[in-house]
Amino acid sequence: GGRGDVRAMAMSETKSRSSEVHTRADGTRVLRRTEVFKTESEIVLAPYGRYAGTTGRKFDKSIQRDTFGNVKGPEYDLSPDGTFKGQHIAILQLYTGEGLTLASLTAALEKKGFTIQLWTRLPPVDEFVAGLKRSCQLWVISGSSRVVTPSHVQAIQTLVNLNKGLFIWGDNDPFNADANYILSNLTQTSSLSLRGNYIGDQVLEEADDRDSAGFKPGHLILTGLQSLYEGITIAAVRGEPAQFRCLVRSSDSNVVTAIHDRGHARIMIDGGYTRLMESSWEKTAGTSRFVTNSACWLYNHESRVAKQRAKAAAASPASANYTRDDITNGAGGGGSGAVVKSINANSTLARNVTALLATTRCIPGAKFAKQYALAYNTELDLKGGKLKDLLVRLEGSGVCVLETRGVVLYVRGA
């Protein structure tokens, strides 16, 4: 992790490039390269930290924890601080009572690099559409009487269809009016709603099974969490199981937090926005980490990389700008004293490999060619010892790092 400031888009011309030495939390030092390309929108290539997907019980007991048992420090969040610099989140806040200022929420998201566009009343449609166009996701905090119009919902549907993130927040009845209107009118969530008035006010932990109160470990949103506050008065997510997946069950075992992650669309639904109130933010378990992890996940990195791969494959279906002659003119089968011919880090091949490794922590060298072919519909001639030559040349260009574990060679992102 830690390369969250690196952005690129396939088939784009370099705009600027810089390097800096970065010291990790464990004291090791790495060279951090930043390359920004001329594109309509930048892609964060490595948005997740080294502990992505690891929940509280899996961390060593020697790591410092807060009073609720959650590991302390931003390095245990899903993404490092500053990762999403230049990315915007639009927030439509339709309830502002009871100290719901979103001051702490905004500050937490800004630490991750996000810029916040906050509306505390429904904006005109043109202004709303313009705000969504420059944002990577939208958060809606529902009011008790519906004010959202069909035109606003259509703009939200367009946002979702563009694979941008959506977070729908509700609370106990009747504070779900806007949430339910939006959910029922989106293709992806047409059967879903938030219902109920349960007095929760409990701290949840990892669940022992899928139907028990708490959260099932393993999802990226739950990175670094062992305890999570459920909210005071909360609602449950209801609807067809095919349209959502349970992420968190409240203390009455109903679904309080759900996600929709299908067809590159990412939507979150939560029935307890009382946890966002200033009186609860610092006094309750895991709220800040849960919120920032959610925003990092809703950025929808995986969908962006998939689009990048598709564009790269369409632009160069035959050889990805990498010829058979290029492959054989490397280290000559790995012989000693051979000069390794580096690969242009701005070439289509190098960018493709960077994108491929951004979604995979580590690939065994023997599986590299197969995964590349699956991603880009391109077969590379890597027989007769030329695989290692290629990987060595990519490493020499700063595209990847090679590791040997026992007798097995692995390749990972630089």
Side-chain angles (χ1 to χ4, degrees):
R3 288 207 318 122
D5 60 347
V6 183
R7 297 169 170 83
M9 176 74 87
M11 306 304 293
S12 301
E13 181 182 352
T14 300
K15 179 181 180 182
S16 63
R17 182 179 295 141
S18 62
S19 301
E20 62 177 332
V21 176
H22 173 64
T23 303
R24 291 174 169 164
D26 61 6
T28 59
R29 304 181 76 192
V30 296
L31 180 66
R32 173 179 288 177
R33 294 186 179 91
T34 302
E35 296 184 10
V36 180
F37 296 86
K38 295 178 182 177
T39 61
E40 293 182 1
S41 61
E42 297 175 33
I43 290 181
V44 179
L45 283 184
Y48 303 142
R50 62 182 298 187
Y51 299 107
T54 305
T55 44
R57 291 180 183 176
K58 295 182 179 179
F59 287 103
D60 191 276
K61 293 182 179 180
S62 63
I63 298 175
Q64 188 177 8
R65 299 173 184 255
D66 63 20
T67 54
F68 301 101
N70 292 317
V71 288
K72 294 181 68 173
E75 65 269 31
Y76 301 110
D77 296 345
L78 175 56
S79 299
D81 287 352
T83 293
F84 295 94
K85 185 177 181 181
Q87 299 295 327
H88 292 71
I89 296 178
I91 301 179
L92 179 58
Q93 183 183 2
L94 300 175
Y95 180 72
T96 58
E98 301 179 87
L100 191 61
T101 65
L102 302 189
S104 294
L105 167 68
T106 299
L109 294 175
E110 287 176 342
K111 282 186 179 180
K112 296 303 174 188
F114 293 109
T115 299
I116 308 303
Q117 162 75 67
L118 176 61
W119 292 294
T120 54
R121 62 182 63 183
L122 189 71
V125 173
D126 289 349
E127 179 184 336
F128 188 60
V129 169
L132 297 189
K133 186 175 181 180
R134 61 176 172 264
S135 300
C136 68
Q137 56 192 274
L138 168 68
W139 294 30
V140 179
I141 297 176
S142 182
S144 57
S145 299
R146 178 175 71 85
V147 297
V148 174
T149 71
S151 296
H152 288 85
V153 173
Q154 182 56 53
I156 296 172
Q157 181 71 76
T158 299
L159 172 125
V160 173
N161 291 347
L162 289 172
N163 306 142
K164 296 184 176 184
L166 174 64
F167 202 151
I168 300 293
W169 287 89
D171 210 80
N172 63 283
D173 296 336
F175 296 96
N176 299 312
D178 297 290
N180 288 337
Y181 183 73
I182 294 170
L183 289 171
S184 64
N185 284 282
L186 294 180
T187 302
Q188 293 84 355
T189 59
S190 57
S191 76
L192 305 185
S193 63
L194 285 164
R195 307 285 180 193
N197 188 1
Y198 171 64
I199 305 299
D201 203 22
Q202 302 295 312
V203 174
L204 307 171
E205 295 186 345
E206 292 183 24
D208 295 326
D209 57 71
R210 59 180 298 176
D211 297 321
S212 298
F215 53 89
K216 191 72 173 175
H219 197 279
L220 291 174
I221 295 171
L222 303 171
T223 298
L225 289 172
Q226 183 165 326
S227 301
L228 179 64
Y229 181 63
E230 65 182 335
I232 304 173
T233 51
I234 56 182
V237 180
R238 309 286 188 185
E240 294 294 329
Q243 289 195 327
F244 75 95
R245 170 186 169 189
C246 173
L247 191 69
V248 182
R249 288 187 181 273
S250 53
S251 50
D252 64 349
S253 297
N254 283 316
V255 179
V256 66
T257 309
I259 59 173
H260 175 98
D261 187 16
R262 295 185 176 94
H264 298 302
R266 281 198 173 169
I267 301 170
M268 286 189 68
I269 309 161
D270 192 284
Y273 65 57
T274 45
R275 74 181 80 170
L276 304 180
M277 294 178 176
E278 296 303 305
S279 59
S280 301
W281 186 270
E282 293 296 341
K283 299 177 183 178
T284 56
T287 300
S288 179
R289 179 165 287 157
F290 171 76
V291 164
T292 56
N293 285 357
S294 298
C296 299
W297 182 76
L298 285 169
Y299 170 76
N300 207 353
H301 163 72
E302 291 78 5
S303 174
R304 293 167 186 262
V305 170
K307 286 183 177 180
Q308 181 181 359
R309 289 177 178 175
K311 286 184 178 180
S316 53
S319 66
N321 288 350
Y322 194 69
T323 66
R324 181 168 182 170
D325 182 62
D326 288 327
I327 296 174
T328 56
N329 282 342
S336 60
V339 177
V340 176
K341 177 184 175 183
S342 63
I343 293 173
N344 184 352
N346 197 37
S347 67
T348 302
L349 172 73
R351 293 186 192 179
N352 286 353
V353 173
T354 299
L356 178 65
L357 296 176
T359 57
T360 308
R361 290 187 179 182
C362 214
I363 301 176
K367 296 183 179 180
F368 172 82
K370 182 178 180 180
Q371 292 204 24
Y372 187 95
L374 289 173
Y376 301 108
N377 193 29
T378 302
E379 296 287 345
L380 297 177
D381 178 12
L382 298 175
K383 297 177 182 179
K386 288 178 286 188
L387 170 62
K388 187 172 183 180
D389 286 353
L390 171 61
L391 296 179
V392 168
R393 294 169 64 190
L394 287 168
E395 183 181 44
S397 302
V399 175
C400 67
V401 175
L402 302 182
E403 297 178 354
T404 301
R405 304 176 187 175
V407 296
V408 180
L409 178 68
Y410 288 85
V411 55
R412 62 175 176 81

